[in-house]
Amino acid sequence: MAEQVSVFIGNKPGRLNAVTAILRDCAINIRAMTIADHRDYGVAKLLVSDPQAARLALADQGFAAALQPVLAVAIEDRPGSLHDLLEILSEHQINVLDAYGFVSQPHRWAVWCMEVADPVKAAGLVAARGLRVLNDNELYRM
Amino acid sequence: MKVPVWNPAVEFIEREALEALQLANLRKTVAWALKAPFYQRKLAEVGLTHPGDLTSLRDLRDLPYTTKDDLRAAYPDGLLAVTLEQALRLHTSSGTTGMPTVVYHSRQDLDCWTELVARCIIAAGATASDVFQNMTGYGMFTGGLGLHYGAERVGMLVIPASCGNTSRQLQLMRSFQTTVVHATPSYLLHLHAALASEGITRDQLALRKAFIGAEPHSEQTRRKIEDLFGIDAYNSYGLSEMNGPGVAFECVHKTGLHLWEDAYILEIIDPDTLRPLPEGQTGEMVMTTLQRRATPLLRYRTRDLSHWVSGNCPCGRTHRRLARIKGRSDDMLIIGGVNVFPSQIEDVLMKIPEVGTNYLIQLEKRGSLDRLIVKTEIYAKLVAGDLHALDDLRERIAESLRAAILIKPAVELHEPGSLPVSDGKAKRVVDLRPAF
């Protein structure tokens, strides 16, 4: 199962680049990232080359950082492919809590990442329908 | 268990003998006070011209109060009761809230002060073999020099680090294996938050005790400091008008602060009616110095609120104990017509594990309504960065505060170490409401 790093970041200038500076210093690459804004703070979710090392480096510098399992699925970069994936989840009444996607190889592969209540079970259902669920290594190598 | 004690003859004195000593010292104090222009006038108003007129401790109640405004009006030398030649040092207050106040000390005064601080240090279980890092400001602020001389008298190895420069404080603590520190509670919390970024772990330090004072703090804050560092923390009470630190201190039993009653008489009064309150009731502390020649103060209204703790302390000291200072009567906030002490808010916050080490209370006016905003830092290790959990935490803090102070505040969550701390006294309340 892939993991994302979530980091609590104060909503003010200079805080996001404090995070990116730590990752740069550890030579950790960022694959994808989203930020949810909650007025005084935000939570950044990052897919990185080495989630464990990223979490430790951030925590070392006093950041509230945690690892969360994320359901990352490779889908074709073409119209309708995301819909096909979501249909599977919908059929099984699986709710998507948060999601983001990125294109890894244009016109070939995209990756869709989701937070769901039971990611292991969801991964099994998706894989049973012939879709590729990615782990950390695969995610980074795509 | 053997009780550590500095001056057994005085600290274990029988109550009757202590009261006789208080009366004798009170008469001396009145005699000294009559040499200061301010008290010559003030005591003449109540017909007191001779210290022998005082026949019992109860007679103290017939003397007028001395207020902070009196001290300001007497600035710079209206309260000086010795010649400048006999005076050895003076401390002035910061004057940030108005005119400064000044306290002069003679050689004997400084000696008495140092003696009181030495008693405190030993009562809290520190010894001559401790390495003592004094993290409070040296100079006009009495916390630095007060503890410094007391610690030297005890024979500790003293590191006069003064306040601020967190990185250097931690290096000193590690290099010299500091065992005891003196700091404000907010600074110790800040220091702990800085450990990680300085690359220092708790087990590289040898800390075993902290003396915390100079700002009111809750029992929860003390426990938090004790848990974070794995140490014992002892509450220290003092105020510059009464020398500074060394007025009252916790012994190893931590069941209240022993007030040195051979050096001070404490009365607890209702701040509205100015009548003495029955023992055990919380009110304003009114204090009289019993050992200070250069600036004696009679019935000084401290504005601090506390009450006597009943019963005897297991340590056997006969000097009575004060409860944790509840805050200054000046500190009370009136929010939408409700009286709130910042200490009530702190109590709630420090009970919530996910709340970090610093917080700020902000008051604003929105239309005609008061708005209370409580900004808290989060405790990094316990917050997983899950948005729903953070929303729940915010709501839980707001609800717990509402239950305690009857006002539901807006709660803001902040990164660890991001709220402002001053190295001296923490600024916990920011009132942005326009004054009338």
Side-chain angles (χ1 to χ4, degrees), chain B residues 8-19 21 318-319:
Chain B
V10 177
E11 294 178 47
F12 297 137
I13 187 172
E14 294 294 328
R15 284 301 300 183
E16 208 168 303
L18 177 56
E19 281 165 24
L21 182 60
T318 49
H319 298 246

Side-chain angles (χ1 to χ4, degrees), chain A residues 7 15-30 53-65, chain B residues 197 415:
Chain A
V7 196
R15 299 312 300 156
L16 187 55
N17 62 331
V19 170
T20 51
I22 293 167
L23 298 181
R24 175 204 56 199
D25 293 347
C26 300
I28 290 169
N29 198 22
I30 303 169
R55 190 194 72 81
L56 287 175
L58 289 165
D60 251 11
Q61 296 296 314
F63 276 96
Chain B
S197 57
E415 275 178 48

